Amino acid sequence: MRKRTMTLAVAVAAAGIGVVTVVPSSAAPAAPAAARTVEQPRASAAPVPSRIAVHFDLTKGQMPENVAVGPDGTAYVTFAAARQVAAVTPSGGTRILATLPAPADGGVNTPVLAFALTTGIVRMSDGTLYFLYASGDAASTGLYRLRPGRAPHRIAALPADGLPNGLAFDAEAKRFYLTDSVLGTISTVPLEGGRAEVWSSAPELAAAGFLGANGIKVRADAVWATNLDQGTLLRIPLRHGRPGPVRVAATGLVGIDDFAFVGAGDRQVIATLNGPNTVVSIDAAGRSRTLMTAANGLQNPTAVAVRGRTVYVLSAAYTTGVDPNLALATLPLR
């Protein structure tokens, strides 16, 4: 399984979801042309204190793709290639909560990636988890609910010719927002489930050769998203539930995958740059500063969450093929 998974996943880190474009393992992935043309100099910063908290098992497909953190510090993660959802305790224990069945074709019809994978995840205050599954199969691709002690249940079907990736929840509107990295869209699904509706298909969400819209959050009356191919962080204002004009909040972020806000506002973002093996901080002016690199143990970082001053960073090792892990870093006092 490892050989097949790593072959399929080589493209993932090149761009940044934790998914894939096949390039020879000896070749450095090229940045998309659009991202290269807008790339800004990235200021270095003093490395934040960090440690590798958990090492995952690559031979079992434990390539962590996304994360949600509980109030006790437990990290709820999706293991992409294993099609799993797991809980990682603060002490480092890993418990598998659910494994989704592979489609009949094994997942080879999953767009772009050719393997079925679990992607975005959200945790509710009662412990219920919601997550996305992309399989290339109309019978299984969709948004799933996983209540504690129960089996996962699909609450919304999603297009089998797309790649549902990032997932966010708007508590006020009681609906989910999700990105599709192949179709270049953001869709909504009601909390109780039902029909998914395309909310935005703005050109800023489109792919430019590999994967487009990726990470997503709802913050300060806006939907924020990343575009992996274009290397951008986007802000889309919420106007009575409908999308306003897209603003490019930051550029030059080659391989940007997931992101998280620091504090209650939207003035500082922490983002993972998958292929470059980097975590950066982005300020309100769109300037980025490097916080973590491969020297901190990063191996294709796919996801980030912030809880207080603690930063949770998942590395999937899609192209490094060595050490998928969970790193914990501490932000400096402001």
Side-chain angles (χ1 to χ4, degrees):
M1 175 174 182
R2 174 177 176 178
K3 181 177 180 181
R4 177 178 180 271
T5 301
M6 291 311 302
T7 300
L8 292 173
V10 167
V12 175
I17 154 181
V19 283
V20 245
T21 240
V22 180
V23 297
S25 59
S26 60
R36 288 198 298 271
T37 59
V38 299
E39 186 170 4
Q40 307 164 343
R42 184 170 299 117
S44 61
V48 294
S50 68
R51 64 182 177 89
I52 301 298
V54 184
H55 299 274
F56 299 118
D57 190 341
L58 196 62
T59 65
K60 295 180 179 180
Q62 292 182 348
M63 298 171 168
E65 172 57 29
N66 203 231
V67 62
V69 180
D72 64 348
T74 295
Y76 297 89
V77 307
T78 51
F79 286 140
R83 311 182 310 281
Q84 291 176 333
V85 176
V88 182
T89 66
S91 62
T94 299
R95 180 165 61 96
I96 305 302
L97 303 178
T99 302
L100 293 194
D105 61 14
V108 297
N109 287 317
T110 305
V112 178
L113 308 182
F115 71 102
L117 67 161
T118 47
T119 54
I121 188 169
V122 166
R123 182 188 183 276
M124 300 300 189
S125 59
D126 66 355
T128 301
L129 300 174
Y130 292 82
F131 65 94
L132 296 170
Y133 182 44
S135 68
D137 172 29
S140 58
T141 297
L143 173 61
Y144 285 72
R145 177 191 292 128
L146 177 59
R147 291 194 169 101
R150 304 280 188 88
H153 171 68
R154 189 171 75 161
I155 65 168
L158 295 171
D161 61 347
L163 188 78
N165 193 341
L167 181 66
F169 181 66
D170 183 345
E172 183 176 343
K174 292 184 172 53
R175 65 179 180 176
F176 294 95
Y177 289 84
L178 60 99
T179 59
D180 191 299
S181 296
V182 167
L183 301 180
T185 59
I186 295 175
S187 295
T188 60
V189 174
L191 173 60
E192 64 273 16
R195 182 178 178 180
E197 296 186 354
V198 174
W199 182 76
S200 177
S201 56
E204 290 87 351
L205 301 170
F210 181 48
L211 297 173
N214 198 315
I216 189 167
K217 297 289 186 293
V218 179
R219 178 65 65 99
D221 298 318
V223 174
W224 296 71
T226 62
N227 186 309
L228 189 150
D229 276 356
Q230 299 185 33
T232 52
L233 174 65
L234 308 171
R235 182 185 187 274
I236 310 175
L238 281 163
R239 296 186 172 177
H240 305 290
R242 303 306 304 167
V246 179
R247 177 173 70 86
V248 179
T251 62
L253 302 166
V254 176
I256 188 170
D257 196 328
D258 191 31
F259 67 102
F261 290 97
V262 178
D266 60 358
R267 305 289 293 177
Q268 183 183 7
V269 168
I270 306 293
T272 57
L273 307 188
N274 191 310
N277 290 326
T278 304
V279 170
V280 298
S281 172
I282 306 168
D283 66 18
R287 296 170 300 211
S288 62
R289 294 175 62 85
T290 300
L291 298 180
M292 299 172 67
T293 68
N296 300 91
L298 300 185
Q299 298 204 18
N300 308 136
T302 53
V304 60
V306 178
R307 179 173 177 266
R309 292 175 56 212
T310 302
V311 180
Y312 295 69
V313 180
L314 293 178
S315 288
Y318 282 115
T319 61
T320 65
V322 177
D323 180 30
N325 60 55
L326 166 63
L328 299 180
T330 303
L331 294 172
L333 293 170
R334 302 182 68 181

